Amino acid sequence: MAEGAVDRRTRESINAFHVMVKPTGALCNLDCAYCFYLHKQELINSRNVISDEVLERFIYEYINSQTVPEIVFTWQGGEPTLLGIDFFKKVVDYERLYCPPGKKIANDLQTNGTLLDEKWCSFLKEHNFLVGISIDGPERLHNVYRKSRSGGPTFQKVLNAVRLLHKYEILFNTLTAVNRINAKYPGEVYRFLRDTAGSTRMQFIPIAEPKVFKSSPTTFIPEDSMPITGSTEALPGKHASLVADWSVVPEDYGSFLNGVFDIWYREDIGKVFVFLFECALAQWLGMEASLCIFSETCGKALALEADGSLYSCDHFVYPEHRLGNIKDRRLLEMVTLTSQTVFGVSKAATLPEYCNKCEYLFACHGECPKNRFVKTPDGEPGLNYLCSGLKKYFSHIDPYMKKLAEEYRSRK
């Protein structure tokens, strides 16, 4: 699944796919340092908001292009709440108009939370929206990178939004960007999310942002020509010129996940759902990954920009991955293009041999292709920047996952 909105189980029908909609383009009321989306304003027409024509066409096509009983709409940005409640009333009206008998509609809204108020929460509750709210930990950690346009702190507004979600009994996920700073405090972040924010559904997204792209991540060219290996011992230093200052150090990312896992395993199994751990258990059971980053292939989690353009993935909104525009091509036609199929299978086909020989290939599959911008120890390109941290994490949880998997099988 594309990172950012709210996790849903991977659709299994050939005509089942997920599209993340960016109705505001890159428009946002915050100025988060690590936002990967802002630089794309120069590549796409991302300053415009979605038109009624594009909105209606997409809703109709999205519902009628899939053969699954539940159609999940995911609204992200930028910041989608900038469009106001009336926009989402229109969304609900279109969904009701075009949803045939026997199908169910669900809506996910990913937001920074700063604009949520009583009226918003009343609407979200009435229409059963699942909310993903971005919060990076307690105040001293959240405010490091998540700032307002004027450079001010945002934590108190976000925490107020969380309290409103509880008040209105709205189902929500917390989405925490694991960055250079908060990665060093796994226990503090997890306990804050659990105890203060009251989150029982958590997503942790690593920030791994190269400084320079020549077009898309698949054609990444580092600022310098120094050889890059899979080792991260020199970070920051050897890799410092490669990634933005807020990017998580791979080893720290592994330690963060391990620290969170240990608390969760001791105290919260069955009470708190951490999507990374739920996905891992499925894989240790021999099942398909529920997160696209850990699936063997990808290509069924696409992104629709405000102008109606459809892209291969939320992290590949670049000209070479534009599949067409919904105003002049059918949605299903674009989703099933040969180029999109190639995009999906290339995830496995382009793995370096270093990955293919790894004992955790079944759980990782090279993680997200957007992060494959370093070289293996023997110089082969295409290694995931987070590799060492992911190995640290997988090796740590391995005995516990084997035990949980065995317990699960014994109950069946």
Side-chain angles (χ1 to χ4, degrees), residues 71-90:
I71 307 297
V72 180
F73 287 85
T74 296
W75 309 95
Q76 201 186 48
E79 176 49 45
T81 60
L82 286 170
L83 292 173
I85 294 174
D86 286 345
F87 170 81
F88 284 96
K89 288 180 178 177
K90 191 186 308 178

Side-chain angles (χ1 to χ4, degrees), residues 345-371:
V345 299
S346 292
K347 180 179 180 182
T350 58
L351 272 178
E353 192 60 24
Y354 182 81
C355 294
N356 286 320
K357 293 179 179 179
C358 179
E359 63 182 307
Y360 299 114
L361 176 63
F362 76 96
C364 179
H365 293 296
E367 208 250 358
C368 184
K370 79 177 183 67
N371 294 328

Side-chain angles (χ1 to χ4, degrees), residues 301-318:
L302 302 95
L304 186 84
E305 286 295 330
D307 69 347
S309 293
L310 187 72
Y311 291 85
S312 295
C313 172
D314 179 39
H315 288 284
F316 288 82
V317 179
Y318 296 93

Side-chain angles (χ1 to χ4, degrees), residues 12-17 67 300 332 335-336:
E12 296 189 358
S13 165
I14 192 170
N15 283 344
F17 54 90
T67 58
K300 288 195 174 184
L332 189 57
V335 171
T336 55

Side-chain angles (χ1 to χ4, degrees), residues 140-181:
R140 74 183 188 91
L141 298 176
H142 175 91
N143 283 335
V144 173
Y145 296 124
R146 298 193 66 80
K147 298 182 183 296
S148 67
R149 285 287 179 182
S150 62
T154 62
F155 176 82
Q156 289 300 330
K157 287 184 176 180
V158 179
L159 188 60
N160 181 63
V162 170
R163 289 167 177 159
L164 284 171
L165 293 172
H166 281 295
K167 176 182 177 180
Y168 281 82
E169 298 181 333
I170 296 168
L171 186 63
F172 72 93
N173 299 347
T174 49
L175 189 150
T176 300
V178 184
N179 54 61
R180 183 69 61 88
I181 304 301

Side-chain angles (χ1 to χ4, degrees), residues 46 70 73 125 159 167 183 201 213 234 254 260 262 300 303 392:
S46 60
E70 182 183 50
F73 287 85
K125 178 63 176 178
L159 188 60
K167 176 182 177 180
R201 299 162 62 89
F213 283 120
V260 170
D262 288 345
K300 288 195 174 184
K392 188 176 186 178

Side-chain angles (χ1 to χ4, degrees), residues 275-307:
F275 292 116
L276 283 171
F277 306 156
E278 301 292 323
C279 179
L281 179 56
Q283 291 170 290
W284 258 260
L285 284 164
M287 300 164 63
E288 176 67 24
S290 57
L291 296 173
C292 68
I293 58 172
F294 293 131
S295 294
E296 183 175 5
T297 61
C298 57
K300 288 195 174 184
L302 302 95
L304 186 84
E305 286 295 330
D307 69 347

Side-chain angles (χ1 to χ4, degrees), residues 5-9 108 130-133 135 166 170-176 190 193-194 197-204 264 271-276 278:
V6 182
D7 177 46
R8 295 283 186 173
R9 295 301 181 193
D108 300 346
L130 174 61
V131 175
I133 191 159
I135 187 166
H166 281 295
I170 296 168
L171 186 63
F172 72 93
N173 299 347
T174 49
L175 189 150
T176 300
Y190 179 78
L193 294 173
R194 182 191 65 186
S199 176
T200 58
R201 299 162 62 89
M202 302 180 190
Q203 294 186 68
F204 295 104
W264 173 83
K271 296 184 291 184
V272 175
F273 298 92
V274 180
F275 292 116
L276 283 171
E278 301 292 323

